Amino acid sequence: MNIKKIVYSSLVTGLLLIGGLLPFAAPASVVIAGTRVIYNAQDSEITIKLSNNGEKPALTQVWLDKGDPKADPSRIDLPFTITPPMSRIDPAKAQTLRIAYTGEPLPQDKESVFWLNMLEIPPKPMADEAGANHMQLAFRSRIKFFFRPAGLKGSVNDAPGKLTWHVADKGGKQVLQVTNPTLYHVTVIAAAVGAAKFDDGDMVAPGGTLDIPLKGHAAAAAGTKVQFTTLNDYGGPVQGEGVLQ
């Protein structure tokens, strides 16, 4: 639920062969190991594995962005290098990416978040398929990339338990306000106050407050229990319980 797969529209036009009935090419075959990346500042570099689970070679391009999925990769300036930025991965093979922090200033008093993008470009049709009509799509996977400075106070594992919760009225609709007093990002994938629920997933930044819409009506009395689920560093769900303030 933290991986966003997007049809990369700027390439689709060039990859479409227009015809009568267009059979779709196979879905994305290259996968990223993990659903999020944690870069600890004390590490000289980190490695990430890309695996081609498909039956054909694939060309991949990898880059980081600041949160805008439409940003032009050639214009993004971030203090990280990725090697290799482009690679061909044969079927049943893998490619190891190396990401290194180049040292330009980033906040040292809280965690920073970026997005790691992997664009998979399918191969051209085989010679025996040249006469057929095909629709080929380039797929992009996008996962969170956290830069964690050294010496941050508190523990990332304790951060979900420090969230505070309120029920508020916004425009005639109830929202569950979650405030994060910690120095770490916390991804909330589900929350419930009685019969009122939230299951769309969202992330609250360090020191930030997030309004999440509720389905159903929640009792707003202080002390009412809030059941919630967050994600840990490995992308696994962690159950938690809080109370309305």
Side-chain angles (χ1 to χ4, degrees), residues 194-215:
K197 300 183 183 299
F198 163 80
D199 55 11
D200 292 333
D202 214 330
M203 182 174 67
V204 56
T209 296
L210 176 70
D211 290 347
I212 53 181
L214 288 171
K215 301 172 183 177

Side-chain angles (χ1 to χ4, degrees), residues 13-94:
T13 301
L15 292 171
L16 291 179
L17 301 177
I18 306 300
L21 295 176
L22 302 178
F24 282 94
S29 56
V30 179
V31 296
I32 306 172
T35 61
R36 53 187 48 213
V37 179
I38 311 297
Y39 194 119
N40 292 299
Q42 61 267 31
D43 296 335
S44 58
E45 67 176 24
I46 60 171
T47 59
I48 301 168
K49 184 179 179 182
L50 305 181
S51 300
N52 186 352
N53 295 333
E55 299 178 352
K56 296 181 179 180
L59 179 65
T60 62
Q61 179 184 4
V62 183
W63 71 96
L64 288 166
D65 72 60
K66 300 177 182 179
D68 179 4
K70 298 180 181 179
D72 181 348
S74 66
R75 297 179 179 273
I76 300 173
D77 184 20
L78 287 174
F80 298 94
T81 60
I82 301 178
T83 307
M86 297 190 70
S87 60
R88 169 191 162 117
I89 307 177
D90 289 325
K93 299 294 184 180

Side-chain angles (χ1 to χ4, degrees), residues 11-224:
L11 290 177
V12 169
T13 301
L15 292 171
L16 291 179
L17 301 177
I18 306 300
L21 295 176
L22 302 178
F24 282 94
S29 56
V30 179
V31 296
I32 306 172
T35 61
R36 53 187 48 213
V37 179
I38 311 297
Y39 194 119
N40 292 299
Q42 61 267 31
D43 296 335
S44 58
E45 67 176 24
I46 60 171
T47 59
I48 301 168
K49 184 179 179 182
L50 305 181
S51 300
N52 186 352
N53 295 333
E55 299 178 352
K56 296 181 179 180
L59 179 65
T60 62
Q61 179 184 4
V62 183
W63 71 96
L64 288 166
D65 72 60
K66 300 177 182 179
D68 179 4
K70 298 180 181 179
D72 181 348
S74 66
R75 297 179 179 273
I76 300 173
D77 184 20
L78 287 174
F80 298 94
T81 60
I82 301 178
T83 307
M86 297 190 70
S87 60
R88 169 191 162 117
I89 307 177
D90 289 325
K93 299 294 184 180
Q95 173 67 56
T96 298
L97 300 176
R98 298 183 182 277
I99 303 180
Y101 174 46
T102 55
E104 287 85 345
L106 286 173
Q108 297 300 303
D109 59 347
K110 62 181 178 180
E111 200 176 57
S112 298
V113 65
F114 306 97
W115 291 83
L116 178 69
N117 299 263
M118 190 274 293
L119 177 67
E120 176 191 345
I121 305 170
K124 292 182 179 180
M126 302 289 287
D128 58 353
E129 299 175 336
N133 294 319
H134 293 270
M135 176 179 288
Q136 291 184 287
L137 302 176
F139 288 92
R140 184 171 71 172
S141 299
R142 197 164 175 262
I143 67 174
K144 294 185 178 99
F145 179 98
F146 298 98
F147 178 79
R148 188 169 294 162
L152 289 183
K153 293 181 179 180
S155 164
V156 65
N157 294 324
D158 294 337
K162 296 184 181 299
L163 299 176
T164 60
W165 307 85
H166 301 77
V167 169
D169 183 88
K170 292 290 184 74
K173 295 183 179 180
Q174 271 193 335
V175 297
L176 184 61
Q177 290 184 329
V178 52
T179 299
N180 178 8
T182 78
L183 306 179
Y184 304 89
H185 291 80
V186 180
T187 299
V188 181
I189 61 172
V193 184
K197 300 183 183 299
F198 163 80
D199 55 11
D200 292 333
D202 214 330
M203 182 174 67
V204 56
T209 296
L210 176 70
D211 290 347
I212 53 181
L214 288 171
K215 301 172 183 177
H217 183 77
T224 301

